[in-house]
């Protein structure tokens, strides 16, 4: 469902772009640096179901196990701070590198305990760092007078530190999506340009804290202020 | 030098037990502090020549050898047991020899076996330990087990755990029987005090709780740097809760290991864990014969509770202490 919602948002962005007129829109100036900073919101995702089991005492070689309790864990949605540095290869292509920091929680829901009610534990707070690189392609269409849509794809290194900072888990993130860059000032000639950028991505996480070592997909929404030097 | 002898009732067919999990080490008080009771040299044991009606001394020798091999095979521990020969002596005598054998004790109709110790109370060193297996029981040494008979190797594995210095684990669930005893519903440790049903051979395999316990007593050289521990305190109404049973569950590996709050302040330590995050569950020993675990009275009037968050056992160290609060039933 999460992936479908992301895909829906991307289609919406593209439809908006397709509906734009023919007037020339602002664009990146080739061979210039673009500084970028803002926040992004990451959706939550499960990190595994586990059941605490004892060996059943019954006849036969493999009696059914006894469930002491079951635990469902997830990483909660979180807001991260994001900084990025890009380089415009052309007016449409931009490469960028970024780093983000967030503090999601690991929540645990307990169930199937015969001696305790189902309950949600308060969970622990992670410190999460991502260092990534991406490629952006600005579509040859505009949205309104000062905006231009783009698609983005990239990947990076994930670093998650448990609450007591005694255990580090690492992994990778890969993402793809689309968004709109809106010029508040400049963008059509020489000089510094300032604007806003928003995007929605489908992010695939591999590694990091995960009790089942599965790939997890979750949505990310970002809003940034950019300065094109 | 002071000497102390003790008797541990180790496994009964029907008895009382606790519904949870943990390994417990034997300890002795030296200068006001509790230290582990351990062997300081390889365990050199003899097998008594006395046969039981359903198993011979040779059968016992074989079962004990297999059980000893299981303990010695724990890679995270350094345990050494050496067979010295057969002996005409019976177990239970203070003769400077560690003797394992059958004894005819029909009055102990719920006791499969027991281990007694001679301990140097100056330093906690075990000087001698004898193990007896109750001869009147119907024993089995069949590789697949024998319906209606108690597996000798399983009980030997449990008794050798005591011989090495482990107490009982509470990792199990029981239910009352019509005769007033308890039947094991489930077990998570060979060191659980009540044996599995006759005919089963499940207790021939050490469980993570047993492995953690023996690794804590006799850690392999790399254990101090490759494993971690969890520390904390169980409180009820702000006061420490002696005897509360704390179970650590690793959601990634499924491993369950536990221990008890062993001080009046309710402090607990669960050591020799694989590094990683753990869910902590606290439970009272409320349907057990508490004296299978403790020689003092403990408070069992509280509900099962969980730590508010997962706690990480760090590699080569211990977690910051976490407080787990429980409330009365």
């Amino acid at each position: 469902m999460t992936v479908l919602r992301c895909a829906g948002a991307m289609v919406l962005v593209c439809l908006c772009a397709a509906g734009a007129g023919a007037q020339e829109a602002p664009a990146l100036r080739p061979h210039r640096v673009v500084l970028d900073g803002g926040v992004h919101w990451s959706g939550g995702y499960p990190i595994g179901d586990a059941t605490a089991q004892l060996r059943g005492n019954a006849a036969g070689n493999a009696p059914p196990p006894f469930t002491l309790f079951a635990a469902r864990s997830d990483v909660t949605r979180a807001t991260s701070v994001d900084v990025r540095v890009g380089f415009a290869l052309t007016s449409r292509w931009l490469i960028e590198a970024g780093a983000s920091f967030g503090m999601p929680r690991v929540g645990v829901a307990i169930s199937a305990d015969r001696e305790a009610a189902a309950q949600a534990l308060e969970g622990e707070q992670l410190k999460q760092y991502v260092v990534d690189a991406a490629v952006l392609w600005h579509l040859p269409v505009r949205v309104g007078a000062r905006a231009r849509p783009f698609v983005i794809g990239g990947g990076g290194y994930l670093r998650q530190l448990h609450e007591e900072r005694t255990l580090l888990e690492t992994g990778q993130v890969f993402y793809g999506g689309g968004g709109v860059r809106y010029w508040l000032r400049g963008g059509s000639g020489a000089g510094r340009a300032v604007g806003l950028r928003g995007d929605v991505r489908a992010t695939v996480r591999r590694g990091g804290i995960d009790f089942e070592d599965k790939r997890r997909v979750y949505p990310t929404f970002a809003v940034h202020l950019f300065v094109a030097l | 030098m002071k000497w102390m002898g003790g008797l541990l009732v180790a496994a009964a067919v029907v008895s009382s037990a606790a519904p949870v999990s943990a390994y417990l080490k034997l300890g002795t008080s030296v200068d006001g502090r509790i230290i582990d009771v351990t062997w300081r040299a390889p365990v050199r044991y003899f097998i008594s020549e006395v046969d039981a009606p359903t198993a011979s001394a040779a059968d016992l020798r074989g079962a004990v050898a297999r059980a000893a091999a299981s303990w010695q095979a724990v890679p995270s521990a350094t345990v050494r047991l050496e067979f010295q020969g057969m002996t005409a002596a019976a177990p239970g005598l203070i003769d400077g020899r560690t003797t394992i054998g059958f004894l005819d004790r029909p009055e102990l109709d719920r006791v499969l076996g027991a281990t007694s110790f001679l301990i140097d109370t100056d330093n906690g060193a075990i000087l001698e330990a004898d193990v007896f297996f109750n001869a009147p029981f119907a024993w089995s040494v069949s590789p697949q087990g024998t319906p209606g008979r108690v597996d000798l190797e399983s009980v030997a594995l449990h008794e050798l755990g005591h011989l090495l210095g482990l107490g009982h684990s509470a990792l199990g669930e029981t239910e009352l029987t019509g005769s007033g005893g308890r039947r094991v519903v489930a077990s998570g440790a060979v060191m659980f005090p009540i044996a599995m049903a006759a005919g089963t051979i499940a207790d021939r395999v050490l469980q993570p709780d047993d492995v953690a316990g023996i690794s804590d007593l006799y850690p392999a050289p790399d254990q101090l740097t490759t494993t971690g521990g969890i520390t904390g305190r169980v409180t009820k109404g702000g006061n420490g809760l002696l005897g509360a049973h704390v179970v650590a569950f690793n959601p990634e590996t499924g491993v369950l290991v536990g221990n008890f709050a062993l001080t009046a302040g309710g402090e607990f330590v669960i050591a020799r864990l694989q590094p990683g995050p753990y869910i902590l569950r606290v439970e009272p020993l409320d349907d057990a014969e508490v004296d299978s675990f403790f020689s003092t009275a403990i408070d069992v009037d509280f509900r099962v509770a969980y730590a508010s968050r997962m706690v990480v056992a760090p590699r080569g160290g211990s977690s910051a202490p976490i407080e787990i609060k429980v409330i009365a039933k």
Side-chain angles (χ1 to χ4, degrees):
Chain A
M1 288 301 289
T2 298
V3 176
L4 289 177
R5 278 201 296 272
C6 288
M10 291 166 58
V11 168
L12 184 62
V13 168
C14 292
L15 287 177
C16 289
Q23 185 182 345
E24 185 180 352
L28 296 172
R29 294 179 62 203
H31 307 132
R32 295 302 176 101
V33 172
V34 179
L35 303 178
D36 208 317
V39 294
H40 76 251
W41 294 268
S42 301
Y45 54 90
I47 55 173
D49 297 341
T51 305
Q53 292 180 322
L54 305 176
R55 300 169 301 163
N57 181 27
N61 291 330
F66 176 91
T67 296
L68 193 60
F69 63 89
R72 168 166 291 185
S73 306
D74 61 7
V75 171
T76 62
R77 69 186 74 171
T79 302
S80 298
V81 178
D82 213 354
V83 292
R84 311 186 74 76
V85 178
F87 182 76
L89 299 172
T90 68
S91 62
R92 290 182 183 168
W93 288 95
L94 179 130
I95 56 173
E96 66 177 12
S100 69
F101 171 74
M103 297 177 68
R105 298 190 74 83
V106 173
V108 181
I110 300 292
S111 61
D113 188 328
R114 298 183 184 199
E115 298 174 83
Q119 56 194 284
L121 307 185
E122 182 182 311
E124 65 163 333
Q125 193 150 43
L126 303 176
K127 287 186 170 63
Q128 177 175 287
Y129 305 85
V130 175
V131 178
D132 68 301
V135 176
L136 284 79
W137 179 58
H138 292 79
L139 278 63
V141 291
R142 65 179 176 82
V143 180
R146 304 198 59 79
R148 194 178 284 276
F150 64 85
V151 293
I152 183 172
Y157 167 76
L158 170 71
R159 184 181 172 94
Q160 293 175 317
L161 200 56
H162 285 271
E163 185 164 315
E164 293 177 13
R165 295 184 293 174
T166 53
L167 184 65
L168 173 69
E169 315 239 15
T170 61
Q172 301 91 41
V173 291
F174 304 95
Y175 55 82
V180 174
R181 188 183 297 275
Y182 182 84
W183 277 260
L184 295 170
R185 193 182 72 191
S188 56
R192 188 170 296 174
V194 178
L196 296 173
R197 161 185 160 181
D199 64 59
V200 54
R201 308 173 199 171
T203 301
V204 179
R205 182 196 51 74
R206 188 172 67 188
I209 296 173
D210 198 311
F211 302 133
E212 296 173 340
D213 288 330
K214 288 183 177 176
R215 295 181 183 187
R216 308 290 181 179
V217 181
Y218 54 93
T220 305
F221 307 93
V223 175
H224 289 178
L225 178 70
F226 72 86
V227 178
L229 302 177
Chain B
M1 187 178 290
K2 299 174 186 173
W3 305 92
M4 182 181 79
L7 180 69
L8 284 173
V9 176
V13 175
V14 279
S15 177
S16 292
V20 266
S21 62
Y23 68 83
L24 190 62
K25 299 180 290 184
L26 302 180
T28 188
S29 177
V30 176
D31 297 330
R33 63 189 180 92
I34 302 295
I35 62 170
D36 294 341
V37 169
T38 57
W39 292 87
R40 310 297 158 85
V43 183
R44 299 184 172 89
Y45 66 91
F46 293 83
I47 298 291
S48 170
E49 294 171 343
V50 176
D51 294 336
T54 54
S56 67
D59 290 334
L60 179 60
R61 175 184 168 182
V64 170
R66 292 189 293 276
S70 294
W71 285 111
Q72 291 178 144
V74 174
S76 51
T78 52
V79 172
R80 188 76 194 147
L81 296 115
E82 297 174 354
F83 173 62
Q84 300 295 295
M86 305 300 285
T87 177
L93 304 174
I94 298 177
D95 57 4
R97 283 182 165 187
T98 289
T99 305
I100 300 171
F102 288 112
L103 277 183
D104 189 27
R105 300 292 299 272
E107 74 281 10
L108 300 175
D109 61 349
R110 291 181 175 177
V111 177
L112 290 164
T115 303
S116 58
F117 295 91
L118 192 63
I119 299 167
D120 183 341
T121 54
D122 281 345
N123 60 14
I126 302 173
L127 304 172
E128 177 188 343
D130 288 1
V131 179
F132 85 80
F133 295 83
N134 209 350
F137 281 94
W139 296 100
S140 167
V141 291
S142 165
Q144 297 81 28
T146 306
R149 293 191 172 207
V150 179
D151 184 53
L152 187 56
E153 182 181 335
S154 297
V155 179
L157 192 62
H158 178 102
E159 294 304 327
L160 289 190
H162 286 313
L163 182 142
L164 291 166
L166 285 175
H168 278 145
S169 166
L171 186 53
E173 291 281 343
T174 65
E175 63 184 11
L176 291 168
T177 65
S179 61
R182 286 191 171 272
R183 187 188 81 83
V184 176
V185 175
S187 167
V190 168
M191 295 312 295
F192 190 64
I194 308 176
M196 298 283 251
T200 64
I201 56 173
D203 271 343
R204 289 182 185 177
V205 180
L206 295 172
Q207 299 301 300
D209 191 66
D210 307 307
V211 170
I214 203 67
S215 303
D216 195 15
L217 280 179
Y218 304 95
D222 66 339
Q223 283 298 291
L224 298 178
T225 55
T226 60
T227 62
I230 291 174
T231 63
R233 182 169 180 248
V234 182
T235 61
K236 176 184 170 187
N239 299 315
L241 197 58
L242 172 68
H245 190 237
V246 186
V247 180
F249 173 63
N250 185 323
E252 186 162 17
T253 63
V255 162
L256 276 167
V257 179
N259 213 329
F260 294 92
L262 292 175
T263 70
E267 284 98 355
F268 67 88
V269 177
I270 306 175
R272 303 285 82 81
L273 296 171
Q274 289 302 309
Y278 286 80
I279 295 168
L280 300 182
R281 180 181 189 265
V282 182
E283 184 175 58
L285 290 173
D286 57 359
D287 59 350
E289 281 183 3
V290 171
D291 57 9
S292 287
F293 301 87
F294 292 96
S295 56
T296 58
I298 62 171
D299 184 354
V300 296
D301 179 29
F302 63 93
R303 297 179 185 171
V304 168
Y306 288 84
S308 61
R309 61 176 173 84
M310 283 195 283
V311 178
V312 169
R315 186 180 302 275
S318 285
S319 70
I322 184 170
E323 181 177 359
I324 307 173
K325 297 176 181 177
V326 301
I327 58 174
K329 289 180 177 173

